Amino acid sequence: MLELRTLGEVDLRTAGGAELRAVVQQPKRFALLAYLAIAAPGRYVRRDTLLGLFWPELDAEHARGALRRSLHFLRRAIGEEALIGRGEEEVGLSEQLWCDAVAFRKALDRGAPAEALAHYRGDLLEGFYVAGAPDVEDWLDRERRRLRDAALDAARSLARSESDPAKVRKWALRALEFDEDDAETRELLTHSSSPLATSHFPRFPRSPDFPLSPLLAVCPFTVHGAPALGFLGEGMVDLLSTRLDGAGALRVVEPALVLSMSEQERGAPWSVERGIRLAARAGAGSFVLGSVLETAGRIEVAAALHQSDGTLVVRVQERAAGEPALFDLVDRLAVGLLTGWRGAKSDGSLGLAELTTESLPALKAWLLGEQAFRLARYLESVGAFRRATDADPAFALAWYRLAAALAAVALVEPARAASEEAYRRRERLTEHDRLLLEAQHAWITGQGGEAERRYAAIVTAWPESLEGWFLLGDVLFHSNPYRGRSITEGREPFERALALDPAHQGAVIQLARIAALEGRSRDLDALVQRALSQSGASDQAPGLRALRAFANHDQPAQAEAVRELVSARGLVIARAFSDVALYAGNPDGAERLGRALFAAARSEEFRAFGLGTLAHLDLARGRTIEAFDRLREAERLDPAWGITTRGLFATLPFLPLSSGERAAIGEELRAWDPSRARPAVAVPLVFHNPILCHLRLFLAGILAVRIGQLDQAALDAEALAEEAVPSGASALLQHLSRTLDAEILNARGDPAAALAVLEQGRLDVWFQFAVASPFYAGTFERFLRAELLF
């Protein structure tokens, strides 16, 4: 039995679970398989129908050749017995292939909406683009809407049929995933006492007021005895907060915020008075103080719950035989504290092991990772979180934090993989942690709009969420340029994060960049000084000093910044140059800085990247000849980077190049063999390693359009569609295919159809890809769309 999954996480696997990745990596052929399964379950389809649907732009000979190759590929991948035929002109699928979309519809027909929704994990073939097949795209759009509407109706009907408020809320929240503006669903939520019940998912709320209750702050515990238990000082903040959050109406201040506020009185003993001050700063209505004592191998923990004015509510004391009993000890401690909290559930909630891990080594590694992450020691935290996930591969919170730490050090693919592991295990988390994890997953997988919506929902329901405010600002800052919006929209969320935690280095740095962009020199100086006073030795410090020097046109400071950066790591250099080029408003200074820094680079690869970056700066300033000269130099150092960037420049319709010049570059590209290219080893050129063949076909196809060879361009488009899609590159390759198809349609005199091709898709890539690669940035597609609209 083969399982064809088309709803949400697209894949094809055997009954034993083995994935047939070769098919999934071929979007057009996978779409052909899905069409046979969904549009014609149990029936045969004529080959002529498939030719008209999937290859309308090719002549009969090339179209039939493409269909033969596709069917041969599928038979080889899924087996002769799964793909069957009737005569020479009809094809279909055997009953050995199971499809989730078909199972979804059958469950609804049987009156089993909960079973149907178990199959529905996302839109049909989400993110797939079927190149050169507009009728298939239309079918996909219709089928997506039909299935999504059916899922909304199913979730709504389940919410209406339940009497248990928790189950009403469960199904109503599921319905909101399909239509966040559905009034009937919001009415059901309003009566289910969900913290998200009144959220209308604005970009971000503007009220500065925090709810004083039911917000609880867990203060760091005082540890006495064995030094080996020192990790429980801060660790109990994480453990108890995870265990208590979401118990009935109870909500807990994020541990990162509590520990950052605690730093303001470093060294002072914990007392009721200090707890009152911390609760006031966090806007909490109550707080917990506690201590840990180790004697003769036994652990004794005492904790006291106080109202915000210091009034004692309940005191709890628990004992454990040793570290292995830590999970049960925290659970008993939490239940004891909850007895003093009216409205919180003292039983029936998930235990610590269910919310985190049953492995003590994994738990300890996670706590050490949390501590390192809060101190911005990201490489150290990566090691700790990896130890946690190695000890317990089902540890969702550790995977979540590992993804964040990997992203912080620009390890993009490992970050995406870790986020995927966390996302698969999200159901075992509290609602707050689950929402943060889902927002992170959307962000890391390039869904900037969805990430913004989810972070906005979090700060609406949890206005005290430091993590929610900062990450909302980060999404707006990094993804807005690719959505036609200003990065300055991130200013308010960053300021809200800074109001919660005045020592938040990330918020200070992003606000400094915004101040530079807006020309607010005095604010820029103050923010840079604030960041440097907090962490003058960090990797961010040289870039901040350079940003201030070049934004203020301070020549001596610029010279000093160059001297400091010349010996820095490649990532620090690239980030500093980007800051100056993007935010300082000083293109001459950016060029001087880039020439000095990239010339001093130790690797040929990084020097080639620098020359390509400076070529873009030349082009932006109208210096076309200088730009191509730099690329010729870059090509000597790294041929793949040089020729693909030069090919990209040659495709730009506004450059003063003749048809002969474009044709010559096109011939160079066709003669180039990407399979023999030396693989890049460093970010960002490493992003291009698996897609060089795709870039060659795309660029050659666009250049064929530019010189009027439309039949050749159509063949290039089909060849591009038949190339396997590497992991993580589907959004980019969808962008390339759509752009090439739209260029061909526009050149054939049908701008409306060309615009429709672009409008149906979306270029959603994670910003770390977009800022590092001119291909991932999607500028070409946006320029073409603007021309078509014009």
Side-chain angles (χ1 to χ4, degrees):
M1 174 71 72
L2 288 170
E3 295 181 1
L4 173 64
R5 299 190 180 274
T6 60
L7 299 173
E9 300 169 19
V10 174
D11 61 30
L12 178 64
R13 62 183 66 194
T14 65
E19 293 187 7
L20 303 175
R21 297 298 304 167
V23 183
V24 181
Q25 290 174 341
Q26 296 268 328
K28 196 165 195 174
R29 291 164 176 173
F30 189 87
L32 173 61
L33 181 65
Y35 180 84
L36 293 173
I38 298 168
R43 296 187 289 110
Y44 290 94
V45 180
R46 288 190 59 79
R47 287 181 181 242
D48 287 345
T49 300
L50 297 175
L51 291 174
L53 282 170
F54 284 86
W55 294 278
E57 294 295 323
L58 299 184
D59 58 51
E61 179 184 354
H62 285 103
R64 284 193 171 275
L67 177 58
R68 279 196 306 271
R69 289 194 301 274
S70 295
L71 293 177
H72 175 73
F73 174 85
L74 290 174
R75 283 197 178 96
R76 192 177 59 201
I78 68 176
E80 293 282 344
E81 67 283 357
L83 189 64
I84 56 179
R86 186 168 63 182
E88 293 295 321
E89 292 300 321
E90 292 183 310
V91 295
L93 296 173
S94 74
E95 294 182 355
Q96 294 185 18
L97 188 139
W98 174 93
C99 177
D100 55 356
V102 176
F104 170 81
R105 290 193 304 220
K106 287 181 177 179
L108 289 181
D109 291 343
R110 292 197 311 272
E115 179 187 337
L117 288 172
H119 295 304
Y120 195 100
R121 300 169 301 157
D123 285 344
L124 175 68
L125 292 183
E126 187 174 11
F128 265 63
Y129 172 60
V130 188
D135 289 344
V136 178
E137 284 281 293
D138 289 343
W139 169 76
L140 272 175
D141 284 341
R142 291 194 303 272
E143 200 64 23
R144 282 179 188 130
R145 287 194 297 271
R146 187 157 40 238
L147 292 170
R148 191 180 183 88
D149 289 345
L152 173 62
D153 288 342
R156 244 187 340 219
S157 69
L158 285 166
R160 285 195 299 263
S161 67
E162 293 288 353
S163 56
D164 182 348
K167 292 181 179 179
V168 172
R169 176 176 131 194
K170 171 187 173 181
W171 293 117
L173 285 172
R174 188 75 199 276
L176 281 185
E177 293 179 12
F178 308 125
D179 183 358
E180 65 183 53
D181 297 318
D182 183 63
E184 180 182 345
T185 304
R186 288 200 169 277
E187 182 66 22
L188 289 167
L189 258 185
T190 301
H191 298 294
S192 71
S193 69
S194 165
L196 292 179
T198 59
S199 167
H200 289 271
F201 299 102
R203 280 219 309 277
F204 40 84
R206 297 186 175 276
S207 169
D209 299 326
F210 297 147
L212 295 179
S213 181
L215 191 60
L216 169 71
V218 179
C219 303
F221 277 41
T222 303
V223 180
H224 306 281
L229 293 180
F231 72 96
L232 287 177
E234 292 187 1
M236 288 300 291
V237 181
D238 288 298
L239 298 177
L240 266 182
S241 296
T242 299
R243 180 60 177 81
L244 292 170
D245 191 38
L250 184 61
R251 286 159 41 178
V252 177
V253 178
E254 289 176 357
L257 180 57
V258 168
L259 293 170
S260 176
M261 290 178 171
S262 302
E263 285 292 305
Q264 298 174 27
E265 297 186 41
R266 174 186 284 272
W270 279 99
S271 62
V272 172
E273 290 72 23
R274 189 176 175 188
I276 291 171
R277 291 193 297 272
L278 185 141
R281 286 196 293 272
S286 58
F287 61 92
V288 171
L289 292 175
S291 63
V292 179
L293 174 65
E294 187 273 340
T295 55
R298 293 177 60 83
I299 301 174
E300 296 187 13
V301 180
L305 174 66
H306 297 263
Q307 293 181 6
S308 59
D309 63 359
T311 302
L312 178 66
V313 177
V314 64
R315 180 177 283 113
V316 183
Q317 190 163 352
E318 295 291 345
R319 294 178 176 83
E323 286 188 24
L326 187 60
F327 298 97
D328 182 58
L329 184 149
V330 172
D331 284 338
R332 286 184 280 116
L333 199 67
V335 170
L337 291 170
L338 289 171
T339 60
W341 185 272
R342 285 184 294 176
K345 298 177 182 178
S346 60
D347 57 6
S349 55
L350 293 175
L352 178 66
E354 295 172 282
L355 293 168
T356 56
T357 176
E358 296 179 358
S359 164
L360 181 61
L363 188 75
K364 294 175 71 172
W366 170 62
L367 292 174
L368 291 172
E370 287 288 315
Q371 184 179 60
F373 189 87
R374 283 191 284 264
L375 296 173
R377 299 202 298 260
Y378 297 122
L379 286 174
E380 181 182 333
S381 69
V382 165
F385 292 134
R386 281 211 183 280
R387 292 195 299 276
T389 55
D390 287 345
D392 180 6
F395 195 170
L397 278 177
W399 284 115
Y400 166 70
R401 274 292 193 234
L402 176 59
L406 288 165
V409 294
L411 294 174
V412 180
E413 284 301 331
R416 293 166 71 102
S419 179
E420 188 64 38
E421 294 290 342
Y423 189 75
R424 290 174 185 167
R425 298 165 173 83
R426 65 192 184 280
E427 295 304 327
R428 66 185 293 176
L429 301 178
T430 64
E431 185 174 39
H432 176 260
D433 287 344
R434 178 178 57 79
L435 289 171
L436 280 172
L437 189 155
E438 289 173 348
Q440 180 207 62
H441 184 67
W443 180 216
I444 283 183
T445 54
Q447 302 172 62
E450 180 65 14
E452 177 190 354
R453 187 185 74 81
R454 289 181 180 273
Y455 283 126
I458 290 167
V459 298
T460 299
W462 288 271
E464 73 286 348
S465 176
L466 172 64
E467 191 167 359
W469 280 115
F470 175 73
L471 292 174
L472 173 59
D474 219 39
V475 168
L476 296 172
F477 183 91
H478 287 298
S479 64
N480 272 6
Y482 309 104
R483 303 185 293 173
R485 291 161 53 184
S486 172
I487 68 170
T488 60
E489 287 184 15
R491 181 176 176 183
E492 183 176 345
F494 288 139
E495 288 176 342
R496 293 292 294 269
L498 206 57
L500 288 165
D501 178 8
H504 197 291
Q505 184 83 338
V508 173
I509 291 170
Q510 300 295 55
L511 286 170
R513 290 168 173 152
I514 292 174
L517 182 70
E518 294 182 323
R520 294 183 284 110
S521 298
R522 186 171 299 176
D523 290 343
L524 170 63
D525 290 344
L527 287 162
V528 169
Q529 190 56 43
R530 183 173 181 174
L532 295 177
S533 66
Q534 292 172 354
S535 185
S538 74
D539 276 353
Q540 299 277 8
L544 286 171
R545 284 190 278 267
L547 176 63
R548 178 173 59 184
F550 283 90
N552 292 338
H553 296 269
D554 184 339
Q555 297 286 345
Q558 291 175 21
E560 180 58 36
V562 171
R563 283 194 293 272
E564 180 181 23
L565 284 165
V566 161
S567 59
R569 293 187 298 116
L571 183 60
V572 176
I573 290 174
R575 185 185 290 135
F577 173 78
S578 297
D579 281 356
V580 173
L582 294 174
Y583 311 123
N586 185 350
D588 290 337
E591 184 186 359
R592 290 197 309 274
L593 177 65
R595 283 204 312 266
L597 296 182
F598 295 127
R602 287 177 287 278
S603 77
E604 289 187 346
E605 189 177 292
F606 194 61
R607 287 204 301 277
F609 167 71
L611 288 165
T613 303
L614 288 171
H616 277 83
L617 191 58
D618 286 328
L619 210 60
R621 303 168 72 196
R623 297 165 54 179
T624 305
I625 295 174
E626 291 87 343
F628 277 94
D629 286 344
R630 286 196 205 271
L631 292 181
R632 286 290 187 187
E633 188 179 350
E635 203 165 336
R636 287 194 291 272
L637 299 169
D638 191 297
W641 170 244
I643 194 171
T644 52
T645 308
R646 193 157 52 86
L648 176 66
F649 282 14
T651 63
L652 299 177
F654 48 79
L655 288 191
L657 298 179
S658 68
S659 294
E661 289 172 314
R662 288 193 164 99
I665 295 177
E667 289 173 5
E668 287 185 58
L669 282 163
R670 294 184 190 281
W672 173 53
D673 183 1
S675 67
R676 301 180 65 182
R678 181 184 63 201
V681 296
V683 173
L685 301 191
V686 70
F687 296 163
H688 293 164
N689 282 344
I691 59 169
L692 291 177
C693 290
H694 307 79
L695 296 181
R696 171 183 169 273
L697 287 167
F698 168 73
L699 294 170
I702 296 291
L703 288 170
V705 173
R706 292 282 177 268
I707 61 177
Q709 297 178 354
L710 301 187
D711 290 342
Q712 178 60 56
L715 293 175
D716 290 330
E718 181 56 30
L720 177 60
E722 291 187 359
E723 285 285 339
V725 178
S727 174
S730 60
L732 168 67
L733 299 183
Q734 179 189 137
H735 149 66
L736 298 181
S737 288
R738 282 188 185 277
T739 303
L740 181 50
D741 285 352
E743 284 279 6
I744 294 170
L745 288 167
N746 189 40
R748 285 180 170 161
D750 196 348
L755 183 61
V757 166
L758 296 184
E759 294 287 7
Q760 288 171 355
R762 56 179 174 81
L763 179 65
D764 254 0
V765 298
W766 194 18
F767 81 94
Q768 291 205 7
F769 285 99
V771 299
S773 166
F775 297 99
Y776 277 96
T779 317
F780 198 111
E781 179 182 308
R782 290 198 302 279
F783 182 86
L784 174 59
R785 180 174 177 272
E787 284 215 313
L788 292 170
L789 287 169
F790 179 76

